[in-house]
Amino acid sequence: EVQLVESGGGLVQPGGSLRLSCAASGFIFSNYAMSWVRQAPGKGLEWVSGIFNDASNTLYADSVKGRFTISRDNHKNTLYLQLNSLKTEDTAMYYCVKGYSRPTMEDLDTARRGQGTQVTVSS
């Protein structure tokens, strides 16, 4: 059974940092691209970042480019997202998504994702 378990979220002040993790199991992690998406209160899903299965390429939304860093450890079956210089508008539930480096909204309707980890940026 495919499982994706996100962790690492929390409450942080503007300008602060967090490191999110996504522990994957039930599939051959190294065979799949992965991505992070987020959902702010009252808004739809927003793609944040993606990474190829072998980490040879990383992709970022303009809103997070230069502040967030995606990475993966295929030996530990874990996906990461380092969040730096956080802004209040980064407040959202963050989800990891299996199988896509840049999923479309249509892809997200059926893509497997975890239960999410909450990031709240507030002073």
Side-chain angles (χ1 to χ4, degrees):
E1 179 189 358
V2 171
Q3 286 198 329
L4 299 167
V5 180
E6 299 94 337
S7 61
L11 173 63
V12 62
Q13 292 186 339
S17 297
L18 285 171
R19 189 192 195 201
L20 308 184
S21 299
C22 170
S25 61
F27 64 102
I28 302 175
F29 183 70
S30 59
N31 283 358
Y32 290 87
M34 298 290 293
S35 57
W36 289 94
V37 300
R38 65 186 180 185
Q39 187 166 26
K43 297 189 176 181
L45 288 170
E46 176 192 14
W47 172 78
V48 173
S49 181
I51 187 167
F52 283 15
N53 67 307
D54 60 358
S56 60
N57 197 18
T58 56
L59 307 169
Y60 297 95
D62 287 343
S63 58
V64 307
K65 199 172 294 183
R67 300 188 298 121
F68 291 6
T69 303
I70 192 171
S71 62
R72 64 191 296 160
D73 186 331
N74 285 347
H75 295 293
K76 295 183 178 179
N77 292 345
T78 304
L79 177 72
Y80 303 100
L81 187 68
Q82 178 68 41
L83 288 64
N84 295 331
S85 303
L86 281 161
K87 305 176 181 179
T88 55
E89 53 263 42
D90 295 318
T91 295
M93 185 73 78
Y94 285 71
Y95 302 91
C96 61
V97 177
K98 169 182 175 283
Y100 301 91
S101 58
R102 189 162 189 164
T104 64
M105 289 298 106
E106 189 175 46
D107 292 331
L108 290 175
D109 284 343
T110 55
R112 180 63 66 96
R113 52 187 165 105
Q115 84 292 343
T117 186
Q118 178 68 40
V119 171
T120 302
V121 185
S122 175
S123 54

